[in-house]
Amino acid sequence: MTQDLFALTEFFAGGGLARMGLGPAWTCLFANDISEKKARVYRANFPEHQELCVQDISEVQPGMISGRATLAWASFPCQDLSLAGNGKGLHASRSGTFWPFWSLITALEGEGRGVPIVALENVGGLLTSNQGRDFAQLLTVLVESGYRPGAMLIDAAQFVPQSRPRLFIIAVKHDLDLPEELLCRPGARSPWHTPAISQAYERLPESIKRAWVWWDVPAPVMKVGSLRDVIEPEPRGVPWHSEAETARLLSLMSPLHIAKVRAAQASGELHVGTVYKRTRVEAGVKAQRAEVRFDDVSGCLRTPVGGSSRQLVLIVDQGKVRSRLLSVREAARLMGLPDSYRLPESYNEGYHVMGDAVAVPVVAWLERHLLRPLAHATMSIAL
């Protein structure tokens, strides 16, 4: 396949990880993000391109977008849809930025520059937000605009040692002749069509169900890397905790979690774990707890809002316990990025870019098995 065969527009682009996953078969006509801090990271990794527009999505006009894209990718903000967020839904200030994005897509359609494939990425909480009404409303807008949507819930842990389930809605224009090999017959199929997807589908109006597509994407068979391979022996910018700091961290663990640490110590072997601090209600009282996992999978990276949301590394080796923050390079590796990816000097800025991003290998898998075949299919219709 030749490079730059298909055209892409990337919205809520962050550090460009969706673009990284899509690879060299796609040329980016336009990219947008509101954050100048993220834009600096984007430009550092795509220095020869000038298509990035740093502006509120509601202020972007169709005339700013050149040409005609085959795919529009939008990883719109999840804070109002996440189970860990505020739960205000699709009409709140951050997740509600989907609507000006969609206004742009419909405006391009009105100019004769309609986009045949739209990919939306967000958290699984979109399926149940406002009792499923947000998901249904979003799909209704897609269908009324002439698209056929289908959804998959993909956990990045199938590709990298990080637990990161994300919802992917792939919608195509209704007149696109869909290749049979891309469709599940007769319906849902694991692993991507989870019970949550099936339940959300059952709640949809019949008009949406008629337009729905069950996408058939194979499960990966490659070996997922080890968490040990991600960890840097001596990372930059994140010093190891003192013995007192590590003891304080262990004191925040419940008996269940401290037992995991003691078992790792007793084994005398090397164990690499990750820790999040969380607020739990115990006997009616809120208490801060540190929760550790030694299953060779990191917890889901999140944007840093206060110290409790920063993921920690816990190393147990020959009975000794050490702890520190997860480094930004380690976070980038957990997102599937090569070490050649350029990161900012600021810890918070780098961690923020990674916590808000989409895992690169997941996008690459979708590109190979669904988006690229669909892009080829668009070449057979009159656009």
Side-chain angles (χ1 to χ4, degrees), residues 59-67 103-108 111 113:
E59 298 173 358
V60 176
Q61 301 298 317
M64 299 177 181
I65 304 172
S66 63
S103 293
L104 270 176
I105 297 300
T106 55
L108 290 170
E111 294 182 358
R113 295 192 287 150

Side-chain angles (χ1 to χ4, degrees), residues 8 43 81 124 126 188-189 192 214 221 228 283 289-290 308 338:
L8 157 76
R43 294 190 190 104
L81 303 167
L126 174 57
R189 185 181 304 164
W192 316 132
W214 292 106
V221 294
R228 295 185 187 186
R289 287 298 188 186
S308 63

Side-chain angles (χ1 to χ4, degrees), residues 154-166 224 334 359 361-362:
I154 303 179
D155 192 340
Q158 294 268 16
F159 303 86
V160 293
Q162 181 196 174
S163 173
R164 192 179 188 83
R166 288 295 183 268
V224 175
L334 288 172
V362 177

Side-chain angles (χ1 to χ4, degrees), residues 30 32 97 116 194 300 336 354 364 372:
F30 178 84
N32 170 253
T97 50
T194 63
C300 183
M354 295 303 112
R372 197 188 319 175

